[in-house]
Amino acid sequence: MNDEHQHKLTHYTAAFIEELVGNGVDEVVISPGSRSTPLALLFAHHPKVKTYVNVDERSAAFFALGIAKAENKPVVLLCSSGTAGANYYPAIIEARYARIPLIVLTADRPHELREVGAPQAIQQIDLYGKHVKWSTDMALPESSPSMLEYARSSAVRGVGVSRAHPQGPVHYNFPFREPLIPDLKQVEYSDVKRGKRVIHGDLQLPSTLKNELQTELMESERGLIVCGPGVSQDAVQSIVEFGECHGLPIVADPLSFIRSGNHSKENIMDCYDTFLRIDELKEVLRPDLIIRFGAMPVSKALMLFLKNSPDIPTWVVSEGEDWQDPTAKGTDYIHCRESLFCKSFTSHSFSNEHSWLHRWVGVNNETKDLLLKGHQEWDEGMAVHQLLHHLPEGSTLFSSNSMPIRDIDTYFFTNERSLQIYANRGTNGIDGVVSTALGMSTKAESMYLLIGDLAFFHDLNGLLTARKYQLDMTIVVMNNNGGGIFSYLPQANDPNHFEDLFGTPMDLEFAHAAKLYGAGYFHITSQEEFIPALQEADQRQGINIIEVMTNRENNVANHRNLWNFVSREMVNKVKGDYLDSFSE
């Protein structure tokens, strides 16, 4: 091996890695390959770097996404040249729209071997297009002082960009010439605590704008706060205090971190997805000012309520410059740290009566009582309600999309427990759910995953990582033999093609998957079996799969019957001047 080449390769790559670690990046998920050897070996050589190896690139990417989501800091994702990096694409797209920091490293052929028919070579420059915040094609390794500074500056730049609001993925494309083996004996990583760094300051609300908004807030009599996924956890208390100060109901998505915890819940609405389906209630609950934090909530009923409202002043508050307004109803787009925004308006209380808040609270509480009273038959909704009630203190629940997150929206009521609920709502897909949850399980004391059978099948390969690293997680699979959410859509009215194109029954028995990956397994067909299975799974180490067998048609009928029951009861109360009593 050429000593000069090896020296350049080693020190250039090590300088890049050392600067990443100096900026707090200490975990890397590696997809094995040849061209990425210099980076893989030097990451593994660093004493402060935790490495995970996953042979399935798509699973690896979502696993890294889960770690980054749990830690809220960048995680490195490394693969070889060729189509390996293309398999990262779904997770990178999710990270971009969910605002999750990832540092993606793709190894590449040197420039002379690009586009000449060399094996395992594709066009990797700007591979991820606009789905990364920043992308660079790194220079070939050199060890001159200026090039080592270049490597270090490139590293800190990527960390800074990934962490700047809105957070998201960045991409480095590293060309390497053979031979690819660095000399680890030449590397002694320093323990320098002060290297290059990027410092992000707080986004303050300008005083002139504050006065203008304060006047508008004072003139409002029916303000409404809407909190969706992506609300900063350190802003929760400030948002709650802001709402209480001004008598504003807070519509809180289950992924907003606001429905549970030790903060006050008096003005937090958790049943709006049900009562905003009722036409007779929509007008009397119509706000005259909307203040939004985070992304649009899961609830379609809420989105339609906001979208179909007449022109109402709508403030969209976001720390970054990302555009989160799918209804196009925003009137003021305020780039400010959420907690600082709320604290700017908590020193002035404008109403002591709060009759508007009492109206929302009354409707919400009555709806909650009716939901519990009207849902008696065992089905997916009842199973989700029991799962949420069972979760131990300090648990983390990751939800798949489609029906699981919607049932959580219905049955995750406000509580004082320390619970965290997550989902991949950046693009609302079902791919990579198992791997993302397993990534989060590396940081959670008590980890649960709620998932449908299609999404579970879609990412079964993720279970290999669980076995390899002895991860602990309880997986509750709602097996209705197909895509349950499509049964709620107009497509279900076509009996000729629905099952083939949308229902997509698979007729799979996941007991075989449990055996393949060494997981505990429970087959549930009744309500009486469910809680004992959860309790037994709590006592078992490793992965436990609880497969709950349900019926798609019955589940749809039960949901609709419940909504109709609640609607009838609430309409009767509205006709009886029920709403007027809330303001007394």
Side-chain angles (χ1 to χ4, degrees), residues 345-512:
F345 300 103
T346 53
S347 59
H348 303 281
S349 182
F350 308 136
S351 172
N352 292 322
E353 296 182 2
H354 294 344
S355 58
W356 166 249
L357 172 61
H358 296 158
R359 176 171 294 189
W360 273 81
V361 170
V363 171
N364 188 78
N365 290 343
E366 184 66 25
T367 302
K368 187 181 302 184
D369 291 340
L370 291 171
L371 281 172
L372 295 175
K373 178 182 178 181
H375 201 167
Q376 300 297 327
E377 186 173 344
W378 167 253
D379 61 3
E380 292 177 22
M382 183 65 73
V384 170
H385 175 58
Q386 291 187 345
L387 170 63
L388 291 166
H389 185 72
H390 168 81
L391 292 177
E393 175 68 18
S395 294
T396 298
L397 172 64
F398 198 90
S399 173
S400 181
N401 286 304
S402 299
M403 284 309 300
I405 188 60
R406 286 167 172 81
D407 279 330
I408 288 176
D409 195 9
T410 300
Y411 291 104
F412 184 47
F413 303 135
T414 55
N415 61 87
E416 302 303 312
R417 292 180 294 165
S418 177
L419 302 176
Q420 292 187 319
I421 298 184
Y422 293 87
N424 283 341
R425 294 298 293 177
T427 55
N428 304 353
I430 65 167
D431 47 348
V433 175
V434 174
S435 297
T436 307
L438 287 171
M440 296 202 74
S441 77
T442 64
K443 311 300 175 185
E445 294 183 4
S446 177
M447 187 74 200
Y448 292 77
L449 168 62
L450 176 66
I451 191 169
D453 55 304
L454 284 182
F456 189 50
F457 164 75
H458 209 273
D459 195 27
L460 276 176
N461 282 358
L463 294 176
L464 181 62
T465 304
R467 188 179 70 174
K468 180 179 177 68
Y469 294 103
Q470 298 181 334
L471 302 177
D472 293 324
M473 185 166 71
T474 295
I475 303 174
V476 178
V477 183
M478 295 296 174
N479 190 347
N480 55 30
N481 199 23
I485 195 168
F486 290 107
S487 298
Y488 293 83
L489 302 179
Q491 295 92 312
N493 296 324
D494 181 2
N496 296 320
H497 304 290
F498 176 76
E499 278 298 290
D500 187 36
L501 295 177
F502 304 103
T504 57
M506 298 183 298
D507 300 311
L508 292 179
E509 298 179 16
F510 290 113
H512 301 295

Side-chain angles (χ1 to χ4, degrees), residues 225-229 231 251-256 259 272-273 292-304 306 324 326-327 405-406 409 425 428:
I225 296 175
V226 178
C227 292
V231 171
V251 169
D253 185 86
L255 303 176
S256 67
R259 293 194 191 181
Y272 55 87
D273 180 66
R292 278 193 46 220
F293 299 95
M296 183 60 69
V298 171
S299 170
K300 186 176 182 179
L302 173 63
M303 187 184 72
L304 292 175
L306 299 177
Q324 301 201 82
T327 64
I405 188 60
R406 286 167 172 81
D409 195 9
R425 294 298 293 177
N428 304 353

Side-chain angles (χ1 to χ4, degrees), residues 14 33 118 173 235 239 316 318 321 376 398 411 439 489 557 575:
N173 192 58
I239 293 173
V316 182
S318 173
E321 297 181 358
Q376 300 297 327
F398 198 90
Y411 291 104
L489 302 179
K575 292 179 179 178

